[in-house]
Amino acid sequence: MRPAEIERISVRQAVDRYVELVRAKTVTGQFSPATAEVYCRDVQTFAELAGPERVLDDLDGADLDAVLLAFARRPDGRRRRDARAEEAARPGRASQSAASQARFRRSLSVFFRHAVTAGWVQLDPMRAVTVSARDRGGLRAERRALTAEQAGGLLAAAQRMAASPSTARRRDQRTELRDALVVVLLTTVGPRVSELTRANVEDFFVNDGERYWRIFGKGGRTRDVPLPRPVAALLDAYLAEGRPLLDRGVEPKALLLSWRGRRLARGDVQAVIDRVLARVEPSRRRAVTPHGLRHTTATHLLAAATDMDAVRRVLGHSDLSTLSRYRDELPGELEAAMRIHPLLHERRR
């Protein structure tokens, strides 16, 4: 139920209250810490772009259009410096990806729906937004999943990295086995990046000769995912040879450690992927994010006619409708499907 009167608070005050509410919801399990972090970061960016001292209820659709445009041009801090410099040299082009822009817009929509209920605004200004994707830089959501050739090149590079001698001067800074394991797990098992960095050594176990990973996912749900044998072998090599070099006794449970001996941070995972990508031959190389590798897992399992419910359980989705968003088109898959059309081939006797 909405309050009878509108409380004319500043953008900064509204954002601070909202952030406090979102963080409180992580305690009750309504939001995962990763989801809460994204919402909080986006609304704090909104306050910076909209003007923290402005009255929230004074913002209209034109103001939100300006915020969306400003966010689209905002440099992406996750990208390498050379990439940001190249973007800066192209004025008028969007720096944020289409996925980041869509996520930011969703975060603002959720924020303003709460603002209406809380009595901070009379009307939701997001309903009056008119700026289009073309205005924001013409970006369209691209296929996130790697093709079989691209994914094969990435996995081959990871295996070569695991097998090659380290170039690090200090023995305790050798991370090749760890980097290879990160990329192989992301590409073949498709965990969320938060699930990967939260993983502990004790989460991996053997049952009836099969290696499993107990993944602690969203909403307190867990799933036991069997690891393919090459992945299990790489995991064992890392635990026996790679992790002991990084272990400083600071994080005795964490699976993935930085060279300082602390749990690998979510923000470090993209840098790990980029290091492995640098070893992929250029003809098979394509930039990809951790979430893009999750799409890759889903897409190729489904393309191989794996049962949809099994893929859902591997990825940790609560229902099949979510899985459909992770299925990207692959080059040549329609042609392959029509070549083996079941109605045009004689039945085997």
Side-chain angles (χ1 to χ4, degrees), residues 162-184:
S164 63
S166 175
T167 57
R169 292 184 179 181
R170 290 174 48 176
R171 177 179 169 84
D172 61 357
Q173 293 181 3
R174 297 175 183 174
T175 61
E176 284 79 5
L177 275 170
R178 184 207 65 189
D179 291 356
L181 180 63
V182 165
V183 167
V184 169

Side-chain angles (χ1 to χ4, degrees), residues 79 102 142 165 242 278 318:
R79 301 184 185 180
E142 298 179 354
S318 57

Side-chain angles (χ1 to χ4, degrees), residues 216-243:
F216 294 85
K218 283 187 174 181
R221 294 188 297 269
T222 63
R223 61 190 189 276
D224 293 344
V225 179
L227 300 180
R229 290 191 177 182
V231 180
L234 181 57
L235 170 68
D236 291 339
Y238 167 71
L239 293 176
E241 305 168 28
R243 191 182 182 282

